[in-house]
Amino acid sequence: MTVDRPPLRASLAALLLLGCRMAQAGEYAPADASPRWTFGGYGTLGVAHSNEDAADFTANVVNPGDAGHSRAWSPAVDSRIGMQLGVELDSAWSAVLQLVSERRLSGGYAPQVEWANIKYQVTPDLSVRVGRIALPVFIVGDYRKAGYALPWVRPPVELYGTIPISSSDGVDASYRWRAGDANNLTQVFFGRTDIAISPNDRAEARSLTGLSNTTTIGALTVRASFLTTELSVGLAHELFDGLRGFGQRGAALAERYEVNAKRADVATVGFNYDPGAWFVMGEIGRMNARSFLGDKTAAYLSAGYRVDDFTPYVGYAGARANTPTRIAGLDTAALPPQLAVPAARLNAGLNQLLSTVAQQRSFTAGVRWDLHPNYALKLQYDRITPRHGSSGTFINVQPEFRSGRPITVLSAALDFVF
Amino acid sequence: MRIFLINLLAGLLLCAGAANAAELVVIVSAKSPLAALRPDQVADIFLAQTGRFPDGEPAVALDLPLGSPLRDTFYSSMAGKSPAMMKAYWTKMVFTGRGQPPRELANSAAVRRMVADNPSMIGYIDRAALDPSVKAVAAAVQVAR
């Protein structure tokens, strides 16, 4: 079984274009504008433990961690390695290729193309990129996988789990502008992305359109983003086909909850204040997928204090659903017994899907130790409480899982850059 | 050893006097119309927050090699960032695709030569390497005690 990002049409086109540009650069570029190659990378060796053995703790759903039910200590939650090759052909043209190896839905670690894009610097303030590009959503969204650049072991799962993808294939434009003391970066983007979620099923985001603005005033950074997409997730076909067999009511339920070309919107705003000796950051976001993925709001607040090479930090995060996550479903009382039983089963299946809409609170405390240039060691404690019947951000949920019980997650991670 | 850093504008470059003073100056080409820059304006250019000088002309920063004392003094006085914080900063910028660190040249003389020829470039050098082909627009002094 292979689980791959789709054929890299845009990325390949970008690389071909790059080849043409390089040929041109060789022919016409003046001698002092020789291509400048850069190579670098980042990685995390991590291990996470969860005391909940009826579900697995994971950082997001597309890179499944397996701490808790599947194994007591999981290296899969946070471990990854990324490599980035870049080239600046001249002051206007550049290109970047980033490969990331991390646990995928297939269980393998084969490297994936995270980014492959060409950038054209139109003016010192305006640039345009084509190819596979990082999604500029969330404060640390563009570098969420580069653990070294994060204060924590991983971005807060309640908020960052709402958008498990981190790049899209398309175009974006970035414009830098200044207003008084404020440096601004405004980005608009348009693209698409899809991932295989099983051998036969894909999750696909089409016409992914967004706007993001980052304002920096001294030590304060504020970012606001909005994106909208047409989302399809090929999950639970049998459930929805079953519901459609139950007349108008069943068809209406399938229409309401199936993720089939549904409009999904995400709006987030966050800040980071980091004068050097300490930092505080917070973010809030709302994601409405108009389906069983729910309409949810998630937020966190976190702060840390730097003492020499040590940065202890704390955080509090929460996620809640804005629409009901337990519904009546089909009216089993009105059905003959031979239909009432399968109808009840469909209702249970639908409610089980809705219980995966994350509703939880978590408290986090940890310490980052910059033990060596380019290396940081982090130890983190999380106390996570899924609530209101939800399984929270946990996956591989077993029948004996009970919502409302606090779960302890312990993590250790060694982050490095090279 | 503690290191004290003092920011000075170019016009205020009076003798620091200390025996172990390593003085650095931020330079642009003598052909540039710029007179002086504030530390935060210098930092914005070197941290790729802006691609322009305050007068709107394009700006390209040049760096000295990683680990050179002049470089550490420069970033701590202009941007208030330690070498470790600079590493984390460029990790974010590079792995977000938002920018690459400035091009590095081997020493003060190499930076001066490149800046002299190009009014869009800005660098920093040991004050002892200053000559009329370039002009100082900001300065910092590192006094070792």
Side-chain angles (χ1 to χ4, degrees), chain A residues 8-316:
Chain A
L8 301 171
R9 285 177 295 267
S11 315
L12 284 177
L15 289 176
L16 285 172
L17 231 153
L18 171 63
C20 299
R21 275 299 308 172
M22 286 176 71
Q24 279 181 27
E27 275 174 61
Y28 307 118
D32 64 332
S34 57
R36 179 192 180 203
W37 291 88
T38 54
F39 176 77
Y42 57 83
T44 299
L45 285 170
V47 65
H49 166 80
S50 162
N51 72 347
E52 171 61 71
D53 51 20
D56 279 334
F57 175 73
T58 186
N60 74 58
V61 294
V62 302
N63 307 113
D66 54 2
H69 173 71
S70 301
R71 51 173 83 201
W73 292 89
S74 163
V77 177
D78 301 300
S79 297
R80 65 171 57 81
I81 188 158
M83 275 171 284
Q84 183 172 315
L85 179 66
V87 60
E88 284 177 33
L89 296 173
D90 51 38
S91 58
W93 290 91
S94 60
V96 64
L97 174 70
Q98 188 181 111
L99 301 174
V100 176
S101 173
E102 58 190 340
R103 188 163 196 256
R104 298 187 286 146
L105 284 161
S106 65
Y109 283 81
Q112 303 269 79
V113 175
E114 178 75 8
W115 307 342
N117 62 69
I118 290 192
K119 177 164 136 182
Y120 179 63
Q121 195 77 40
V122 184
T123 73
D125 306 310
L126 176 67
S127 62
V128 178
R129 293 187 291 186
V130 180
R132 180 166 290 176
I133 302 163
L135 274 182
V137 182
F138 302 138
I139 284 270
V140 305
D142 318 36
Y143 53 94
R144 63 204 282 175
K145 295 185 178 184
Y148 182 85
L150 306 176
W152 328 278
V153 170
R154 66 189 78 83
V157 294
E158 289 81 1
L159 182 63
Y160 284 73
T162 59
I163 309 183
I165 54 167
S166 51
S167 63
S168 74
D169 297 340
V171 294
D172 84 343
S174 302
Y175 184 66
R176 273 196 306 218
W177 51 283
R178 218 181 145 83
D181 284 339
N183 288 311
N184 293 280
L185 179 72
T186 302
Q187 275 172 278
V188 291
F189 54 96
F190 179 80
R192 59 171 300 287
T193 188
D194 66 313
I195 56 169
I197 48 179
S198 76
N200 301 315
D201 296 310
R202 306 193 78 83
E204 183 172 20
R206 285 194 194 138
S207 303
L208 211 160
T209 309
L211 174 70
S212 176
N213 187 78
T214 310
T215 301
T216 307
I217 308 168
L220 177 68
T221 300
V222 177
R223 179 182 247 192
S225 320
F226 175 77
L227 77 78
T228 179
T229 185
E230 186 192 288
L231 191 64
S232 298
V233 178
L235 273 180
H237 295 296
E238 305 80 2
L239 175 69
F240 293 112
D241 289 346
L243 282 169
R244 275 187 281 266
F246 280 84
Q248 268 194 347
R249 173 72 182 146
L253 284 168
E255 175 56 29
R256 166 72 183 83
Y257 290 107
E258 190 168 28
V259 195
N260 184 10
K262 287 287 175 66
R263 175 61 43 194
D265 309 319
V266 182
T268 72
V269 60
F271 77 97
N272 176 22
Y273 184 74
D274 188 344
W278 53 280
F279 71 86
V280 56
M281 60 196 294
E283 259 181 299
I284 186 166
R286 180 169 181 171
M287 186 246 207
N288 185 357
R290 299 178 179 84
S291 61
F292 75 79
L293 294 176
D295 172 357
K296 53 199 170 185
T297 301
Y300 72 89
L301 191 65
S302 180
Y305 187 77
R306 297 191 179 92
V307 190
D308 296 328
D309 294 331
F310 293 90
T311 310
Y313 56 86
V314 291
Y316 186 79

Side-chain angles (χ1 to χ4, degrees), chain B residues 89-101:
Chain B
Y89 178 82
W90 282 117
T91 300
K92 288 179 198 176
M93 293 294 280
V94 168
F95 298 120
T96 55
R98 266 199 267 163
Q100 286 287 336

